[in-house]
Amino acid sequence: MHIYPDAKAVVRALAPDEPVICNRPQAAARAARFFAENFPGKSMYAVKANPSPELLQILWDSGITHFDVASIAEVRLVRGLLPEATLCFMHPVKTKSAIAEAYKVHGVRTFSLDTHDELAKIVEATEGAQDLNLLVRLRVSSEHSELSLAAKFGTDLIDAGSLLQATRQHCDALGICFHVGSQAMTPFAYVQALERVRVAIVEAAVTVDIIDVGGGFPSSYPGMEPPPLEDYFALIHRHFEALPISYSGELWAEPGRALCAEYSSMIVKVEKRRSDELYINDGAYGALFDAAHVAWRFPVRALEDDLTQPLEEFAFYGPTCDDADYMKGPFMLPADIQAGDFIEIGMLGAYGAAMKTRFNGFGVAEAVVVADEPMASLYTGERKDPRASDNVVSLR
Ligand SMILES: *Cc1c(COP(=O)(O)O)cnc(C)c1O
């Protein structure tokens, strides 16, 4: 396979009229090794963040052996690629046929749930199996995260006791899982959630074997530079150790974004300029879904060498005919950028390429491999002083 030095080399070679995804296998491998070696428990990759087969193989080769899958299609995909992988079906609402196929055909033994109905469904679909790991999803606060996951799933504390007691009757190992929301900007998000877990365990008075702190581990974006992941791991470990669980209790996590954000960037072309708005060839229905729908800011750089003016704020329009195909940014680019120029948009490995649709006939993108560093990284060993950033809670 041809490896380009960087996005500029791709533009010189291809002058692409369609967007091009630039993948960095070395960056994904580095993230996977970091979690495999430093997280004080088991790291399973949340497949929804980016289900590309090449990425799944890289993560597996770099020490990630467990995968958080949320649909039967994800179960089949990962099982087809990685026959030895451990799959955990962590969507708390599943169809009976999906549970049955996952259990009987694909060897899945771990399921999450947040209601008595779902527990009954799992028991029925697995015909009362005795070898299940069942994790009760607890609703926790998303207040420290950029994207909330607090509204949809999770049992409230008031109901957790009876659900934990009932689930205990039907499993080999009992767990509690939660999700603090995506891009958690402080490790205290996990501390707070683990405090709620403690209350649930005490109230239920059952033996708990697995604590799964879910996803939410951050990556680095403009205006969202988190403290080092080591701080998250250390605080999670300390508060996990203090929980009243069984002696052989296990700690799990489900990182999505943190394992793959650095994997991909995208080259787009400016088709038109109107004042400080650039019309580019990818957008809300493509890899820039979050840039449009939750005003996520991704790092950008112009790929032309002849642009000389200082950086200025721009907004983007995507290629479809929909007004909602708009990304307010601001995206910082040279003031003299114009139609025909190319831009690289970074940190799109998570919830980027995975979101592409074919709406309006757009959405095709070639993928190439590049060798340079991602535009930002949490894995290069540089430690920012958390007090220097105004968007994090000080650890002191
Ligand atoms: C989306 C999701 C994840 C991954 O979340 P990130 O914020 O990308 O780390 C993990 N677990 C569950 C259950 C999810 O829904």
Side-chain angles (χ1 to χ4, degrees), residues 44-49 68 70 90-92 112 137 147 149 153 177-179 181-184 190 212 214-218 253-260 350-351:
M44 40 182 173
Y45 172 58
V47 172
K48 81 166 187 282
D68 161 5
M90 301 307 286
H91 193 307
S112 80
R137 170 99 170 240
L147 285 176
L149 287 169
F153 297 130
C177 60
F178 58 77
H179 199 303
S182 205
Q183 185 77 3
Y190 296 88
D212 177 355
F217 295 93
E254 306 164 359
R257 178 186 306 280
L259 285 179
C260 61
Y351 310 110

Side-chain angles (χ1 to χ4, degrees), residues 247-316:
Y247 285 113
S248 55
E250 291 186 21
L251 176 63
W252 297 2
E254 306 164 359
R257 178 186 306 280
L259 285 179
C260 61
E262 299 180 18
Y263 178 54
S264 308
S265 62
M266 179 171 61
I267 298 169
V268 297
K269 189 177 177 188
V270 179
E271 304 290 3
K272 167 182 166 180
R273 173 171 178 176
R274 184 177 78 182
S275 169
D276 59 354
E277 296 164 334
L278 301 179
Y279 292 63
I280 60 174
N281 56 356
D282 195 274
Y285 300 93
L288 297 173
F289 184 97
D290 279 349
H293 296 284
V294 292
W296 204 267
R297 288 181 61 206
F298 293 96
V300 294
R301 68 178 158 220
L303 296 175
E304 319 296 324
D305 288 324
D306 58 350
L307 299 177
T308 53
Q309 294 185 10
L311 300 183
E312 204 172 77
E313 295 187 354
F314 287 91
F316 292 158

Side-chain angles (χ1 to χ4, degrees), residues 30-340:
R30 179 170 64 188
R33 284 193 305 269
F34 184 88
F35 265 86
E37 289 164 14
N38 296 294
F39 182 74
K42 207 171 283 173
S43 299
M44 40 182 173
Y45 172 58
V47 172
K48 81 166 187 282
N50 186 335
S52 110
E54 295 80 17
L55 174 64
L56 294 170
Q57 187 67 50
I58 292 163
L59 297 178
W60 170 263
D61 292 342
S62 308
I64 300 294
T65 55
H66 289 56
F67 293 80
D68 161 5
V69 285
S71 62
I72 194 62
E74 286 185 355
V75 172
R76 292 175 192 149
L77 169 76
V78 182
R79 181 51 80 229
L81 287 166
L82 306 170
E84 311 274 301
T86 302
L87 308 186
C88 302
F89 208 152
M90 301 307 286
H91 193 307
V93 186
K94 301 164 284 299
T95 66
K96 207 189 285 177
S97 63
I99 299 166
E101 180 182 330
Y103 181 79
K104 291 174 189 161
V105 181
H106 304 292
V108 178
R109 293 294 175 268
T110 303
F111 299 88
S112 80
L113 59 115
D114 63 1
T115 60
H116 288 272
D117 285 351
E118 187 74 9
L119 175 61
K121 217 192 286 172
I122 293 169
V123 170
E124 209 177 310
T126 61
E127 294 166 27
Q130 300 293 305
D131 57 353
L132 299 177
N133 305 317
L134 296 183
L135 285 87
V136 171
R137 170 99 170 240
L138 195 62
R139 185 204 303 276
V140 299
S141 163
S142 272
E143 66 177 311
H144 295 300
S145 301
E146 296 291 330
L147 285 176
S148 171
L149 287 169
K152 191 166 179 181
F153 297 130
T155 178
D156 284 315
L157 264 185
I158 189 86
D159 305 314
S162 86
L163 186 54
L164 281 164
Q165 287 162 2
T167 306
R168 180 77 266 179
Q169 308 302 313
H170 296 285
C171 61
D172 179 31
L174 175 66
I176 299 179
C177 60
F178 58 77
H179 199 303
V180 297
S182 205
Q183 185 77 3
M185 291 303 296
T186 160
F188 288 104
Y190 296 88
V191 173
Q192 234 173 43
L194 287 168
E195 275 317 301
R196 199 176 291 205
V197 166
R198 166 194 299 282
V199 174
I201 295 172
V202 171
E203 288 299 313
V206 292
T207 304
V208 170
D209 311 294
I210 302 160
I211 302 296
D212 177 355
V213 299
F217 295 93
S219 188
S220 186
Y221 304 90
M224 290 188 278
E225 280 136 11
L229 288 171
E230 287 93 333
D231 293 0
Y232 289 71
F233 295 177
L235 271 168
I236 288 171
H237 189 230
R238 199 151 70 234
H239 288 263
F240 163 75
E241 289 278 309
L243 287 176
I245 60 170
S246 72
Y247 285 113
S248 55
E250 291 186 21
L251 176 63
W252 297 2
E254 306 164 359
R257 178 186 306 280
L259 285 179
C260 61
E262 299 180 18
Y263 178 54
S264 308
S265 62
M266 179 171 61
I267 298 169
V268 297
K269 189 177 177 188
V270 179
E271 304 290 3
K272 167 182 166 180
R273 173 171 178 176
R274 184 177 78 182
S275 169
D276 59 354
E277 296 164 334
L278 301 179
Y279 292 63
I280 60 174
N281 56 356
D282 195 274
Y285 300 93
L288 297 173
F289 184 97
D290 279 349
H293 296 284
V294 292
W296 204 267
R297 288 181 61 206
F298 293 96
V300 294
R301 68 178 158 220
L303 296 175
E304 319 296 324
D305 288 324
D306 58 350
L307 299 177
T308 53
Q309 294 185 10
L311 300 183
E312 204 172 77
E313 295 187 354
F314 287 91
F316 292 158
Y317 275 110
T320 70
C321 301
D322 188 342
D323 260 10
D325 199 353
Y326 173 73
M327 296 141 273
K328 78 174 167 103
F331 302 100
M332 305 304 294
L333 289 161
D336 48 344
I337 194 161
Q338 54 185 322

